[in-house]
Amino acid sequence: MFEEEVSVWVPSRVSGLPDESRSVFAEHLDKLGLESGVAQELNGPITSAEKLQREESHVLLLSCKDGVPNGFIKYGEKNLFFYSEKGVLKEVKCICVLDFYVSTQLQRSGIGSLLFNNMLKRLDMPPHALAYDRPSPKLVSFLAKHHQLVNPDLQPNRYAIFPDVFLDGVLNDKGKR
Ligand code: ACO
């Protein structure tokens, strides 16, 4: 189950596992999800095997080394409201990075990039076209270092976007008002 360096988990794959495998999967993912919540100072984990099975539009990429999961990135589509530069509120359907974590002792060794780049390839999208849920200082640093994305616009809904491009044609008011 954890042989691949990066494996893809959608809700139906998790719920389709035999009971025994599903509980092994849950044991690993729940541990990482819990650690992620602590690392981000959230009120509780936002990723677990049980939650993932209910999140129909979400995809989880799991990184593993020597058969042991050591990180994940979860993303999916959401309808969100964003303010443009001129304060116009608009609803946008977009892909969001929802949770992203690498085991503490393995951070800064390229695993985050492996997961993130794999996600971008699967989506066939550039990083500035995504929205980021409650970005942590480490994620902000990661995006600046690897993708030259700086000055994220943290919106009232707690998602950060890079408006110059993200809003282009969606929320960009230039010429429209
Ligand atoms: N302090 C500051 N920046 C860091 C840290 C840290 N402790 N760890 C990673 N970074 C950033 C830096 O830019 C670093 O480059 P540097 O070492 O030259 O300074 C870069 O990430 C390293 O890149 P990778 O090795 O590819 O990334 P890593 O495997 O560390 O994974 C991740 C990045 C997932 C953000 C990881 O640091 C982590 O799990 N952090 C804790 C949880 C977290 O904050 N997750 C993001 C939540 S927001 C969201 O999910 C939308």
Side-chain angles (χ1 to χ4, degrees):
M1 189 163 46
F2 302 130
E3 300 82 22
E4 292 169 276
E5 194 175 31
V6 177
S7 54
V8 187
W9 294 89
V10 292
S12 59
R13 181 174 179 196
V14 181
S15 45
L17 286 171
D19 288 349
E20 199 175 316
S21 305
R22 196 166 57 248
S23 74
V24 172
F25 177 83
E27 191 185 312
H28 286 282
L29 184 61
D30 294 359
K31 177 172 179 289
L32 291 172
L34 201 61
E35 290 172 8
S36 181
V38 171
Q40 296 176 63
E41 300 179 356
L42 304 175
N43 289 332
I46 52 173
T47 297
S48 70
E50 194 268 324
K51 285 186 204 294
L52 183 63
Q53 288 173 80
R54 286 188 272 118
E55 296 165 336
E56 279 182 22
S57 70
H58 294 177
V59 178
L60 182 122
L61 303 181
L62 191 68
S63 57
C64 303
K65 179 107 196 288
D66 301 328
V68 181
N70 55 28
F72 69 86
I73 190 163
K74 185 171 76 174
Y75 60 94
E77 192 172 72
K78 290 208 168 218
N79 276 329
L80 297 171
F81 288 88
F82 292 106
Y83 285 94
S84 71
E85 278 171 19
K86 289 187 178 174
V88 178
L89 187 63
K90 291 197 181 169
E91 189 175 9
V92 182
K93 188 182 269 193
C94 58
I95 304 286
C96 307
V97 178
L98 300 164
D99 200 4
F100 185 23
Y101 177 72
V102 171
S103 294
T104 307
Q105 66 278 16
L106 297 173
Q107 288 172 16
R108 291 184 141 155
S109 63
I111 297 170
S113 288
L114 177 75
L115 287 164
F116 195 86
N117 292 338
N118 196 306
M119 172 192 72
L120 295 179
K121 200 166 164 203
R122 283 171 193 282
L123 290 168
D124 193 20
M125 287 172 79
H128 49 247
L130 307 176
Y132 298 85
D133 187 7
R134 288 168 284 198
S136 66
K138 289 185 185 180
L139 179 64
V140 170
S141 163
F142 174 93
L143 291 172
K145 177 185 167 131
H146 294 297
H147 300 282
Q148 295 71 53
L149 289 175
V150 292
N151 301 325
D153 177 3
L154 188 61
Q155 296 262 329
N157 62 11
R158 295 188 299 179
Y159 281 76
I161 53 175
F162 294 89
D164 285 352
V165 185
F166 182 87
L167 303 180
D168 190 34
V170 182
L171 280 187
N172 192 340
D173 298 331
K174 291 185 188 95
K176 291 186 186 163
R177 287 185 156 225

